[in-house]
Amino acid sequence: MENGIELSAEKAAAEVQAVLANPRGWTADGRNSFRLVDSGPVDFVVRIATPGTVDRICGRAGLRTRGEVNCSVGEDVVVNLKRWVLGSDQFDGPIGEYRALIVNHEVGHRIGHGHLGCGGPGRPAPAMMQQIDGLHGCEANAWPYDENGTYISGPTVP
């Protein structure tokens, strides 16, 4: 948690941990597992930061977040405080679901997944779709897998 942010680091960590442990999350692939640690070696760190800090961290890797979006760079999964608190107009679900989308999308990049497009009108949007840029006929969705354990996919996009 960036210094000066008035969010509970413990509550945010618990929320991130719950997303990563959800049966519709990345662990459904049978290859990934996640464990919350407070010290020692890590594969990645989820950081919640102000838009300016997100722009700086992500910008070092050549990414333009424009104070609006999140990124995954090196060991850092960087969550924009603005999105954590306000969500997105494109996502009509509750804020907890939007936070799950943020975590799933950026952790998805961290574990090797690229962007996907809408798989068809009325279908759930893939978690790896940039839903903040519009749903293109898909329905807002926070999870990589459906309740039956099927990966929610779509066409590969740059």
Side-chain angles (χ1 to χ4, degrees):
M1 188 78 64
E2 182 177 339
N3 289 337
I5 293 178
E6 294 187 21
L7 290 178
S8 164
E10 292 78 22
K11 286 182 182 177
E15 194 166 349
V16 169
Q17 183 179 21
V19 169
L20 295 175
N22 190 293
R24 295 174 293 161
W26 292 114
T27 59
D29 67 7
R31 293 185 307 269
N32 289 290
S33 62
F34 305 98
R35 183 170 49 109
L36 179 64
V37 297
D38 57 8
S39 64
V42 299
D43 292 321
F44 64 90
V45 175
V46 177
R47 300 184 188 282
I48 299 176
T50 60
T53 299
V54 173
D55 287 350
R56 277 193 302 283
I57 293 170
C58 302
R60 288 185 209 133
L63 301 172
R64 295 190 51 201
T65 52
R66 305 171 318 278
E68 293 294 327
V69 295
N70 317 283
C71 75
S72 180
V73 174
E75 282 188 357
D76 291 322
V77 170
V78 189
V79 174
N80 190 319
L81 175 65
K82 179 178 180 179
R83 294 291 149 233
W84 187 261
V85 172
L86 299 176
S88 166
D89 291 341
Q90 298 295 328
F91 195 93
D92 59 3
I95 192 66
E97 285 289 298
Y98 189 72
R99 290 174 182 166
L101 172 61
I102 292 170
V103 171
N104 282 321
H105 184 91
E106 298 307 336
V107 169
H109 283 310
R110 180 66 184 87
I111 61 175
H113 294 272
H115 286 139
L116 299 173
C118 179
R123 296 191 61 198
M128 293 312 298
M129 182 176 163
Q130 292 177 298
Q131 295 181 42
I132 196 166
D133 291 336
L135 295 171
H136 309 287
C138 272
E139 299 292 325
N141 168 57
W143 303 101
Y145 291 83
D146 68 16
E147 59 279 345
N148 298 317
T150 302
Y151 183 63
I152 300 169
S153 192
T156 302
V157 297

